[in-house]
Amino acid sequence: QVQLVESGGGLVQPGGSLRLSCVASGSSSSINVMGWYRQAPGKEREWVAIISYGSRNYKDSVKGRFTISRDNAKNTVYLQMDSLKPEDTAVYYCNAVSVVAGIRYVYWGQGTQVTVSS
């Protein structure tokens, strides 16, 4: 089992920055992939950024503005969000995937609200 706890959300003006953090506990050494997803009101959850063994992938709309990183010593994944836009407003969820004995497990955090507004 893996537990994920996010922090760092809040209210920011357009053009501003926020850094989200997600701390993994439990069987965190089994995690292969970590990422960030978001869900805006009335919309489906969508992936934003994923990091796996140093490889990073981003949703097109956040490329060049968001940066995902991982500190294995702290079992933490970060999402640095710069040049924020109102359309980035959403609940952001941390995600982790582990494969144990051939079985894939998916874990989610509780979410943290990001609001971009003047």
Short mmCIF file of all heavy atoms in Angstrom, two decimals, residues 50-92:
data_model
loop_
_atom_site.label_atom_id
_atom_site.label_comp_id
_atom_site.label_asym_id
_atom_site.label_seq_id
_atom_site.Cartn_x
_atom_site.Cartn_y
_atom_site.Cartn_z
N ILE A 50 4.08 13.48 -16.06
CA ILE A 50 4.46 12.16 -15.54
C ILE A 50 5.98 12.07 -15.50
O ILE A 50 6.65 12.56 -16.41
CB ILE A 50 3.88 11.04 -16.42
CG1 ILE A 50 2.37 10.99 -16.31
CG2 ILE A 50 4.46 9.68 -16.02
CD1 ILE A 50 1.72 10.01 -17.26
N ILE A 51 6.50 11.43 -14.46
CA ILE A 51 7.93 11.19 -14.36
C ILE A 51 8.17 9.71 -14.03
O ILE A 51 7.52 9.14 -13.16
CB ILE A 51 8.59 12.11 -13.31
CG1 ILE A 51 10.12 11.93 -13.32
CG2 ILE A 51 8.01 11.87 -11.92
CD1 ILE A 51 10.85 13.01 -12.54
N SER A 52 9.10 9.12 -14.79
CA SER A 52 9.42 7.71 -14.61
C SER A 52 10.89 7.49 -14.90
O SER A 52 11.33 7.73 -16.02
CB SER A 52 8.56 6.85 -15.54
OG SER A 52 8.94 5.49 -15.48
N TYR A 53 11.62 7.08 -13.91
CA TYR A 53 13.06 6.80 -14.06
C TYR A 53 13.78 7.94 -14.78
O TYR A 53 14.61 7.71 -15.66
CB TYR A 53 13.27 5.48 -14.81
CG TYR A 53 12.65 4.31 -14.10
CD1 TYR A 53 11.53 3.66 -14.60
CD2 TYR A 53 13.17 3.84 -12.89
CE1 TYR A 53 10.96 2.58 -13.94
CE2 TYR A 53 12.62 2.77 -12.22
CZ TYR A 53 11.51 2.14 -12.75
OH TYR A 53 10.95 1.08 -12.10
N GLY A 54 13.40 9.18 -14.45
CA GLY A 54 14.05 10.34 -15.03
C GLY A 54 13.42 10.85 -16.31
O GLY A 54 13.72 11.96 -16.75
N SER A 55 12.58 10.07 -16.93
CA SER A 55 11.90 10.51 -18.14
C SER A 55 10.67 11.33 -17.75
O SER A 55 9.91 10.93 -16.87
CB SER A 55 11.47 9.30 -18.96
OG SER A 55 10.68 9.69 -20.07
N ARG A 56 10.49 12.45 -18.40
CA ARG A 56 9.37 13.35 -18.09
C ARG A 56 8.50 13.56 -19.33
O ARG A 56 9.02 13.72 -20.44
CB ARG A 56 9.89 14.70 -17.61
CG ARG A 56 10.70 14.63 -16.32
CD ARG A 56 11.38 15.96 -16.06
NE ARG A 56 12.04 16.03 -14.77
CZ ARG A 56 13.25 15.56 -14.54
NH1 ARG A 56 13.93 15.00 -15.50
NH2 ARG A 56 13.78 15.67 -13.33
N ASN A 57 7.21 13.59 -19.11
CA ASN A 57 6.27 13.89 -20.19
C ASN A 57 5.23 14.87 -19.68
O ASN A 57 4.82 14.80 -18.52
CB ASN A 57 5.59 12.61 -20.69
CG ASN A 57 6.53 11.73 -21.47
OD1 ASN A 57 6.84 12.00 -22.62
ND2 ASN A 57 7.02 10.68 -20.84
N TYR A 58 4.82 15.77 -20.59
CA TYR A 58 3.90 16.83 -20.21
C TYR A 58 2.75 16.93 -21.20
O TYR A 58 2.91 16.71 -22.41
CB TYR A 58 4.62 18.18 -20.18
CG TYR A 58 5.75 18.27 -19.19
CD1 TYR A 58 7.05 18.00 -19.58
CD2 TYR A 58 5.51 18.64 -17.87
CE1 TYR A 58 8.09 18.09 -18.67
CE2 TYR A 58 6.54 18.73 -16.95
CZ TYR A 58 7.84 18.45 -17.36
OH TYR A 58 8.86 18.53 -16.46
N LYS A 59 1.61 17.32 -20.67
CA LYS A 59 0.48 17.68 -21.53
C LYS A 59 0.90 18.91 -22.34
O LYS A 59 1.59 19.81 -21.83
CB LYS A 59 -0.73 18.01 -20.66
CG LYS A 59 -1.98 18.40 -21.38
CD LYS A 59 -3.09 18.67 -20.38
CE LYS A 59 -4.35 19.17 -21.09
NZ LYS A 59 -4.88 18.15 -22.02
N ASP A 60 0.49 18.94 -23.60
CA ASP A 60 0.94 20.02 -24.49
C ASP A 60 0.67 21.41 -23.91
O ASP A 60 1.50 22.32 -24.04
CB ASP A 60 0.27 19.89 -25.85
CG ASP A 60 0.86 18.78 -26.69
OD1 ASP A 60 1.96 18.27 -26.34
OD2 ASP A 60 0.24 18.41 -27.70
N SER A 61 -0.47 21.59 -23.27
CA SER A 61 -0.86 22.92 -22.82
C SER A 61 -0.02 23.43 -21.64
O SER A 61 -0.09 24.61 -21.31
CB SER A 61 -2.34 22.94 -22.43
OG SER A 61 -2.59 22.04 -21.37
N VAL A 62 0.78 22.56 -21.02
CA VAL A 62 1.60 23.01 -19.89
C VAL A 62 3.09 22.96 -20.20
O VAL A 62 3.91 23.38 -19.39
CB VAL A 62 1.31 22.19 -18.61
CG1 VAL A 62 -0.18 22.17 -18.30
CG2 VAL A 62 1.86 20.77 -18.71
N LYS A 63 3.45 22.46 -21.37
CA LYS A 63 4.87 22.39 -21.75
C LYS A 63 5.51 23.77 -21.72
O LYS A 63 4.93 24.74 -22.22
CB LYS A 63 5.03 21.77 -23.13
CG LYS A 63 4.86 20.27 -23.18
CD LYS A 63 5.05 19.74 -24.59
CE LYS A 63 4.87 18.23 -24.64
NZ LYS A 63 4.99 17.71 -26.02
N GLY A 64 6.68 23.84 -21.12
CA GLY A 64 7.39 25.11 -21.03
C GLY A 64 6.96 25.96 -19.84
O GLY A 64 7.60 26.96 -19.53
N ARG A 65 5.87 25.55 -19.17
CA ARG A 65 5.39 26.31 -18.01
C ARG A 65 5.48 25.49 -16.72
O ARG A 65 5.72 26.03 -15.65
CB ARG A 65 3.96 26.75 -18.21
CG ARG A 65 3.75 27.66 -19.41
CD ARG A 65 2.33 28.24 -19.43
NE ARG A 65 1.30 27.21 -19.55
CZ ARG A 65 0.33 27.02 -18.66
NH1 ARG A 65 0.25 27.79 -17.58
NH2 ARG A 65 -0.58 26.07 -18.85
N PHE A 66 5.26 24.18 -16.83
CA PHE A 66 5.27 23.29 -15.66
C PHE A 66 6.51 22.40 -15.71
O PHE A 66 6.96 22.00 -16.80
CB PHE A 66 4.04 22.39 -15.64
CG PHE A 66 2.74 23.10 -15.36
CD1 PHE A 66 2.64 24.48 -15.34
CD2 PHE A 66 1.59 22.35 -15.12
CE1 PHE A 66 1.44 25.12 -15.08
CE2 PHE A 66 0.38 22.97 -14.86
CZ PHE A 66 0.30 24.36 -14.85
N THR A 67 7.02 22.07 -14.53
CA THR A 67 8.16 21.17 -14.43
C THR A 67 7.90 20.15 -13.33
O THR A 67 7.63 20.53 -12.18
CB THR A 67 9.45 21.93 -14.11
OG1 THR A 67 9.70 22.94 -15.10
CG2 THR A 67 10.64 20.98 -14.06
N ILE A 68 7.99 18.88 -13.68
CA ILE A 68 7.84 17.82 -12.70
C ILE A 68 9.22 17.31 -12.29
O ILE A 68 10.13 17.20 -13.11
CB ILE A 68 6.96 16.66 -13.24
CG1 ILE A 68 6.63 15.67 -12.13
CG2 ILE A 68 7.61 15.97 -14.43
CD1 ILE A 68 5.58 14.63 -12.54
N SER A 69 9.37 17.04 -11.00
CA SER A 69 10.64 16.51 -10.51
C SER A 69 10.36 15.56 -9.35
O SER A 69 9.27 15.57 -8.77
CB SER A 69 11.58 17.64 -10.07
OG SER A 69 11.00 18.39 -9.03
N ARG A 70 11.36 14.76 -9.03
CA ARG A 70 11.17 13.75 -7.98
C ARG A 70 12.43 13.68 -7.13
O ARG A 70 13.54 13.67 -7.65
CB ARG A 70 10.88 12.38 -8.61
CG ARG A 70 10.62 11.26 -7.62
CD ARG A 70 10.21 9.98 -8.37
NE ARG A 70 10.02 8.86 -7.45
CZ ARG A 70 9.67 7.64 -7.84
NH1 ARG A 70 9.44 7.39 -9.13
NH2 ARG A 70 9.54 6.66 -6.96
N ASP A 71 12.23 13.67 -5.83
CA ASP A 71 13.32 13.51 -4.87
C ASP A 71 13.12 12.15 -4.20
O ASP A 71 12.29 12.01 -3.31
CB ASP A 71 13.29 14.64 -3.84
CG ASP A 71 14.48 14.61 -2.89
OD1 ASP A 71 15.04 13.51 -2.67
OD2 ASP A 71 14.84 15.66 -2.36
N ASN A 72 13.87 11.17 -4.66
CA ASN A 72 13.68 9.81 -4.14
C ASN A 72 14.04 9.70 -2.66
O ASN A 72 13.44 8.91 -1.93
CB ASN A 72 14.50 8.82 -4.95
CG ASN A 72 13.96 8.65 -6.36
OD1 ASN A 72 12.75 8.69 -6.57
ND2 ASN A 72 14.84 8.49 -7.33
N ALA A 73 15.01 10.49 -2.22
CA ALA A 73 15.41 10.43 -0.81
C ALA A 73 14.28 10.90 0.10
O ALA A 73 14.16 10.44 1.25
CB ALA A 73 16.65 11.28 -0.59
N LYS A 74 13.44 11.79 -0.40
CA LYS A 74 12.33 12.32 0.39
C LYS A 74 11.00 11.69 -0.01
O LYS A 74 9.95 12.09 0.51
CB LYS A 74 12.25 13.83 0.23
CG LYS A 74 13.46 14.57 0.77
CD LYS A 74 13.28 16.08 0.62
CE LYS A 74 14.47 16.83 1.20
NZ LYS A 74 14.31 18.31 1.06
N ASN A 75 11.04 10.75 -0.96
CA ASN A 75 9.79 10.12 -1.44
C ASN A 75 8.78 11.17 -1.86
O ASN A 75 7.58 11.07 -1.55
CB ASN A 75 9.19 9.21 -0.37
CG ASN A 75 10.07 8.01 -0.07
OD1 ASN A 75 10.69 7.45 -0.96
ND2 ASN A 75 10.14 7.63 1.20
N THR A 76 9.25 12.18 -2.54
CA THR A 76 8.41 13.33 -2.88
C THR A 76 8.51 13.64 -4.36
O THR A 76 9.60 13.58 -4.94
CB THR A 76 8.83 14.55 -2.06
OG1 THR A 76 8.70 14.26 -0.67
CG2 THR A 76 7.94 15.74 -2.38
N VAL A 77 7.36 13.97 -4.95
CA VAL A 77 7.33 14.46 -6.31
C VAL A 77 6.78 15.88 -6.28
O VAL A 77 5.88 16.19 -5.48
CB VAL A 77 6.49 13.54 -7.22
CG1 VAL A 77 5.03 13.52 -6.82
CG2 VAL A 77 6.63 13.95 -8.68
N TYR A 78 7.33 16.73 -7.12
CA TYR A 78 6.95 18.13 -7.16
C TYR A 78 6.38 18.50 -8.53
O TYR A 78 6.71 17.88 -9.55
CB TYR A 78 8.17 19.02 -6.89
CG TYR A 78 8.88 18.74 -5.59
CD1 TYR A 78 10.00 17.90 -5.56
CD2 TYR A 78 8.43 19.30 -4.40
CE1 TYR A 78 10.67 17.64 -4.37
CE2 TYR A 78 9.08 19.04 -3.21
CZ TYR A 78 10.21 18.21 -3.20
OH TYR A 78 10.85 17.95 -2.02
N LEU A 79 5.56 19.53 -8.53
CA LEU A 79 5.12 20.13 -9.78
C LEU A 79 5.29 21.64 -9.63
O LEU A 79 4.54 22.28 -8.92
CB LEU A 79 3.66 19.79 -10.09
CG LEU A 79 3.18 20.27 -11.45
CD1 LEU A 79 3.90 19.53 -12.58
CD2 LEU A 79 1.66 20.09 -11.60
N GLN A 80 6.31 22.16 -10.30
CA GLN A 80 6.53 23.60 -10.33
C GLN A 80 5.70 24.17 -11.47
O GLN A 80 5.87 23.77 -12.62
CB GLN A 80 8.01 23.91 -10.55
CG GLN A 80 8.32 25.38 -10.67
CD GLN A 80 8.08 26.15 -9.39
OE1 GLN A 80 8.41 25.68 -8.30
NE2 GLN A 80 7.49 27.34 -9.51
N MET A 81 4.80 25.08 -11.13
CA MET A 81 3.90 25.66 -12.11
C MET A 81 4.18 27.14 -12.23
O MET A 81 4.01 27.90 -11.26
CB MET A 81 2.45 25.42 -11.69
CG MET A 81 2.12 23.95 -11.46
SD MET A 81 0.36 23.67 -11.11
CE MET A 81 0.21 24.51 -9.54
N ASP A 82 4.63 27.57 -13.40
CA ASP A 82 4.93 28.96 -13.68
C ASP A 82 4.00 29.50 -14.76
O ASP A 82 3.36 28.71 -15.48
CB ASP A 82 6.39 29.11 -14.11
CG ASP A 82 7.37 28.66 -13.05
OD1 ASP A 82 7.16 28.98 -11.85
OD2 ASP A 82 8.36 27.98 -13.40
N SER A 83 3.95 30.80 -14.87
CA SER A 83 3.11 31.45 -15.89
C SER A 83 1.70 30.88 -15.88
O SER A 83 1.13 30.53 -16.93
CB SER A 83 3.74 31.28 -17.29
OG SER A 83 5.04 31.82 -17.32
N LEU A 84 1.12 30.79 -14.71
CA LEU A 84 -0.20 30.17 -14.57
C LEU A 84 -1.27 30.97 -15.27
O LEU A 84 -1.21 32.21 -15.33
CB LEU A 84 -0.53 30.00 -13.09
CG LEU A 84 0.17 28.80 -12.43
CD1 LEU A 84 0.18 28.95 -10.92
CD2 LEU A 84 -0.52 27.51 -12.83
N LYS A 85 -2.24 30.24 -15.80
CA LYS A 85 -3.36 30.82 -16.54
C LYS A 85 -4.66 30.44 -15.84
O LYS A 85 -4.72 29.40 -15.15
CB LYS A 85 -3.37 30.28 -17.97
CG LYS A 85 -2.09 30.52 -18.75
CD LYS A 85 -2.17 29.86 -20.13
CE LYS A 85 -0.88 30.09 -20.92
NZ LYS A 85 -0.94 29.45 -22.26
N PRO A 86 -5.71 31.21 -16.05
CA PRO A 86 -7.01 30.86 -15.44
C PRO A 86 -7.46 29.44 -15.81
O PRO A 86 -8.09 28.77 -14.98
CB PRO A 86 -7.95 31.92 -16.02
CG PRO A 86 -7.07 33.10 -16.24
CD PRO A 86 -5.77 32.53 -16.71
N GLU A 87 -7.13 28.99 -17.00
CA GLU A 87 -7.53 27.65 -17.42
C GLU A 87 -6.77 26.54 -16.71
O GLU A 87 -7.07 25.36 -16.87
CB GLU A 87 -7.41 27.47 -18.94
CG GLU A 87 -6.06 27.86 -19.51
CD GLU A 87 -6.06 29.28 -20.07
OE1 GLU A 87 -6.63 30.19 -19.41
OE2 GLU A 87 -5.46 29.47 -21.16
N ASP A 88 -5.78 26.89 -15.92
CA ASP A 88 -5.08 25.91 -15.07
C ASP A 88 -5.84 25.64 -13.78
O ASP A 88 -5.46 24.76 -13.00
CB ASP A 88 -3.67 26.38 -14.75
CG ASP A 88 -2.77 26.48 -15.97
OD1 ASP A 88 -2.83 25.57 -16.82
OD2 ASP A 88 -2.02 27.46 -16.06
N THR A 89 -6.88 26.40 -13.53
CA THR A 89 -7.67 26.21 -12.31
C THR A 89 -8.29 24.82 -12.28
O THR A 89 -8.97 24.41 -13.23
CB THR A 89 -8.78 27.28 -12.23
OG1 THR A 89 -8.18 28.57 -12.11
CG2 THR A 89 -9.69 27.02 -11.04
N ALA A 90 -8.03 24.10 -11.21
CA ALA A 90 -8.52 22.72 -11.09
C ALA A 90 -8.09 22.17 -9.74
O ALA A 90 -7.28 22.79 -9.02
CB ALA A 90 -7.95 21.84 -12.20
N VAL A 91 -8.62 21.01 -9.41
CA VAL A 91 -8.08 20.23 -8.30
C VAL A 91 -6.97 19.36 -8.88
O VAL A 91 -7.19 18.64 -9.86
CB VAL A 91 -9.15 19.36 -7.63
CG1 VAL A 91 -8.52 18.52 -6.52
CG2 VAL A 91 -10.27 20.23 -7.07
N TYR A 92 -5.80 19.44 -8.29
CA TYR A 92 -4.65 18.68 -8.78
C TYR A 92 -4.43 17.45 -7.89
O TYR A 92 -4.40 17.56 -6.66
CB TYR A 92 -3.41 19.57 -8.78
CG TYR A 92 -3.39 20.52 -9.94
CD1 TYR A 92 -4.27 21.60 -10.00
CD2 TYR A 92 -2.50 20.35 -11.00
CE1 TYR A 92 -4.28 22.46 -11.08
CE2 TYR A 92 -2.50 21.22 -12.08
CZ TYR A 92 -3.39 22.27 -12.12
OH TYR A 92 -3.39 23.13 -13.19
#
